[in-house]
Amino acid sequence: RWFNLIGDEKTKPYAGRIHVRLCLEGGYHVLDEAAHVTSDVRATAKQLSKPPIGLLEVGLRGATNLLPVKTRDGTRGTTDAYVVAKYGPKWVRTRTILDRFNPRWNEQYTWDVYDPCTVLTIGVFDNGRYKHDQADKKDVRLGKLRVRLSTLDTNRVSMGTYSLMVLLPNGAKKMGEIEIALRFSCSSWISLIQAYANPTLPRMHYVRPFGP
């Protein structure tokens, strides 16, 4: 399409024309995560998406031995924890448990799985804005963990407690533990094997790779 270039309306109302050609290619996937921890490698165009090969079920049970990250009533340390989990384009967040170092959420979420070579990310935060007069405060990250789906036993519940670590200027610090339950259910072993045989990224990344 041709577009008119308009300069100063008084002295130079017309400054020539420019020819623009725009193409939206849906065969690619723009990565918003690091390649080794990505959770979604499908093409942008929905017409190129394949059916899911399984279902990921995540149970966020609770946390233990959380450290205080703020004070309440001037002197007493406290933590108001909640969990955020991300897999693919779907984010979930649990409710906030106020003033507990051993909160119990007992919430369950599910995701469709299109590729087993993907990673689930779980982060634990302290809610610093649960009151209206605290809107300018930031939530503090208590730690996070990543789970690669290919390390899970198919059709079996995996329960475990994982350490929450944060990196500080003076080194890593343990902020507590989180207890989760995971199950990767696969209805077809053939689809699972085919997923391992296919390239990780959509076909267009190999046919017409993006330049630097």
Side-chain angles (χ1 to χ4, degrees), residues 163-184:
S163 298
L164 297 172
M165 307 292 293
V166 293
L167 188 60
L168 301 176
N170 57 353
K173 182 178 181 180
K174 184 178 179 181
M175 302 295 292
E177 298 90 25
I178 183 173
E179 183 182 356
I180 61 175
L182 301 166
R183 181 169 64 180
F184 172 41

Side-chain angles (χ1 to χ4, degrees), residues 86-135:
K86 179 186 182 296
Y87 182 77
K90 178 181 175 181
W91 295 72
V92 297
R93 171 176 170 167
T94 66
R95 67 189 187 280
T96 299
I97 305 297
L98 300 179
D99 199 12
R100 291 289 186 275
F101 296 125
N102 299 288
R104 303 299 295 179
W105 297 287
N106 291 321
E107 298 185 19
Q108 183 173 340
Y109 302 94
T110 60
W111 285 268
D112 289 327
V113 177
Y114 297 87
D115 194 310
C117 300
T118 46
V119 176
L120 168 72
T121 302
I122 299 175
V124 182
F125 297 84
D126 170 75
N127 193 342
R129 298 176 290 181
Y130 66 92
K131 291 184 179 180
H132 295 290
D133 58 348
Q134 298 176 331

